[in-house]
Amino acid sequence: MAARTSARIADERITDHLAAADITLQGVLDALTDPVRRAIVQQLAAAEADVVCGAFDIEVTASTRTHHFKVLRQAGIIWQHYEGTLKMNTLRRDDLERAFPGLLDAIIAAADREVGRA
């Protein structure tokens, strides 16, 4: 599956996606300080397709899960859209790679190492 970019037309129910040009290093780093959000990014990076919100292996309440997805979306790290009633998630790998070459892969690799130590 091809990665989605900010050029994609936003689902009218989700209105706070950043344009690729508006993604900032500070916003990305701030969003990824939380281990739950890093776990979401790791799982999206490993997925071969879009992932529905409820399928992530994270142990938080539904409202907390929603908050974490919102932070990632507003930082420009993920793209969300609906398929019927399911909210799907895609990692904005291409947008992030253009803005900050190598950063996403470095963060994922570091997070993978941290998980290996736990």
Side-chain angles (χ1 to χ4, degrees), residues 1-113:
M1 183 194 88
R4 292 200 166 75
T5 66
S6 60
R8 183 164 180 219
I9 297 173
D11 186 303
E12 62 188 37
R13 293 175 281 185
I14 305 171
T15 60
D16 58 352
H17 289 105
L18 281 182
D22 294 334
I23 298 172
T24 66
L25 180 60
Q26 189 67 48
V28 170
L29 293 177
D30 286 347
L32 294 174
T33 60
D34 188 279
V36 172
R37 292 193 285 271
R38 286 194 305 273
I40 291 169
V41 169
Q42 284 175 283
Q43 291 173 49
L44 278 172
E48 295 181 13
D50 295 352
V51 180
V52 68
C53 287
F56 288 90
D57 184 20
I58 53 176
E59 295 186 23
V60 295
T61 65
S63 62
T64 301
R65 181 181 297 250
T66 298
H67 167 73
H68 286 301
F69 286 118
K70 179 180 180 180
V71 170
L72 291 170
R73 183 179 67 243
Q74 291 179 338
I77 298 169
I78 65 171
W79 188 271
Q80 290 187 306
H81 68 280
Y82 281 93
E83 290 182 11
T85 59
L86 301 175
K87 190 182 275 187
M88 306 301 291
N89 299 276
T90 304
L91 188 60
R92 293 178 64 178
R93 183 178 287 281
D94 291 344
D95 290 339
L96 292 166
E97 186 61 27
R98 272 192 297 278
F100 314 109
L103 179 65
L104 184 62
D105 288 335
I107 289 170
I108 292 168
D112 288 344
R113 284 191 302 274

